[in-house]
Amino acid sequence: MAGADGEGTPGVRPETLLLTLLGDHVLDRGIAVSTGGVLAALDRLGVGEHATRATLGRMIRRDLLHTVRRGRQAFLGLTGHGAAVLRDGQRKLDGDIVDRHWDGRWTLLTFSVPESRRADRHALRTRLDWFGFGLLRSGLWVSTSAADIGPALAELDLLDHAEVFRAEPFMWTDPARIAREAWDLPRLAAGYEQFLGRWTGGAHGELDELSRSIRLGAEWLLLIRRDPVLPPALLPPGWPG
């Protein structure tokens, strides 16, 4: 599977590679990195200069990066927003892959966003996916986590358009069936198995240490960002995560 723009590490967008590089080597270190160094690092992963520069431009426009000039050289530093985004990703990377402390309750969220705010509606769905919510029915999102979704709703100015509840299944409702309907568990399992297949047995020995680290981290981030981190009771036997 080719990258989204036809270049670089298969299945991984240049932006994900860049975020992995910045999270590992720039975040909370008070440094900026040379543009040339970033171009060289992604070039070793098969991403051409044009694609990297276009991605950097988009990240600057989205206030993830800013440019620092020293004479004729340009360096790239994280903005406050960019650092916050990377810290959020780091929490996902450092977190558990299954929830072993589930209290049996679910978070239910419903929202109604006007058609005139379609972009905000799409952004909210992306945030809900990041927070581990799954769509159970039209307009009803569920999660086993009690994570506070309030700040994400407030950032999008959607607090008045959403309702959140904590509840537990009752009578004939089967929690495992809810999990199967809200999330594509076979697809998640296949993703973990394919990841293990790609990265065991000395795979990608042709890459240097930095390139291997970036590629491994980027592929892992893409995998776990889709994982709702469910409790073992809701997962199929032999869960490869």
Side-chain angles (χ1 to χ4, degrees), residues 3 11 53 63 85 87 107 109 119 133 144 172 200 214 222:
R53 287 190 183 277
D63 192 33
V85 167
R87 290 192 194 102
T107 300
L109 183 144
F133 279 83
T144 58
W172 62 84
T200 53
I214 295 172
L222 285 177

Side-chain angles (χ1 to χ4, degrees), residues 119-142:
D120 289 334
R121 184 169 58 199
H122 176 73
L124 176 57
R125 287 172 175 166
T126 300
R127 303 287 181 86
L128 291 175
D129 186 57
W130 175 257
F131 274 90
F133 279 83
L135 182 60
L136 180 62
R137 300 283 188 278
S138 178
L140 177 61
W141 294 73
V142 299

